[in-house]
Amino acid sequence: EPEVTQTPSHQVTQMGQEVILRCVPISNHLYFYWYRQILGQKVEFLVSFYNNEISEKSEIFDDQFSVERPDGSNFTLKIRSTKLEDSAMYFCASSEDSRPLAEAFFGQGTRLTVV
Amino acid sequence: EDQVTQSPEALRLQEGESSSLNCSYTVSGLRGLFWYRQDPGKGPEFLFTLYSAGEEKEKERLKATLTKKESFLHITAPKPEDSATYLCAVKPETSGSRLTFGEGTQLTVNP
């Protein structure tokens, strides 16, 4: 069964460093997303991406964050100058299209720990 | 502001003891309501999509229903492997394709 793949599963970084989280969405999907979940809190939307550009972003997704689709299969989230409060699980998701009822399929997540 | 509230926060059941989880929502207009299952340390796993009031979807021991204000996830004769956090999410009309999640209900089914 097709699945969304994320690497690494766990990343530890020093405060102020840059990290890149990687995702391989499901191959025929066109819409890609990043969500995050701080420990014990709800899953929060960060950004959606379609046709090589950001289609929507939340207030969390400020200049510290950027996304890129560097090739035909990968989708990355870059976090510059990480802060302690960036520690969270980051989930990549993809959907086939933008129909209202199109379900998003999530990866297993990258646990980011900023120390 | 769009809001999703799930109750209860946690639920303990004995194997075979049926129950329901609630998701109430306040949105400007609903494009879709989604149920996901999340196991510890894992990503949300898609279960159901609902759109119209009165709609019902079933999968094994789970049945999801939708009204104009809330959705229920009914669990019939649960098994220990149904233990997980169940997440409700909405896609409001104003949101594009983003999902707004509730806090989830942590379900534990004891053998």
Side-chain angles (χ1 to χ4, degrees), chain A residues 25 29-33 48-50 55 93-98, chain B residues 97:
Chain A
H29 285 189
L30 301 177
Y31 286 79
F32 314 120
Y33 314 88
S48 60
F49 191 85
Y50 169 72
S55 51
S94 67
S95 63
E96 199 170 355
D97 53 45
S98 65
Chain B
S97 54

Side-chain angles (χ1 to χ4, degrees), chain B residues 15-86:
Chain B
E15 185 171 1
E17 180 187 1
S18 302
S19 189
S20 296
L21 313 182
N22 177 264
C23 170
S24 62
Y25 59 91
T26 306
V27 296
S28 51
L30 184 68
R31 299 176 75 209
L33 184 141
F34 301 78
W35 282 97
Y36 285 85
R37 169 191 171 129
Q38 186 176 30
D39 291 300
K42 304 292 185 183
E45 177 188 342
F46 171 74
L47 293 173
F48 301 110
T49 305
L50 300 166
Y51 170 65
S52 303
E55 190 175 2
E56 296 184 354
K57 294 273 181 76
E58 281 190 72
K59 180 180 179 180
E60 296 181 358
R61 295 176 293 281
L62 301 177
K63 183 169 78 172
T65 62
L66 181 65
T67 71
K68 288 186 177 179
K69 297 283 188 186
E70 56 193 349
S71 177
F72 293 93
L73 185 65
H74 308 276
I75 303 177
T76 303
K79 298 182 178 181
E81 53 262 43
D82 294 323
S83 297
T85 296
Y86 290 86

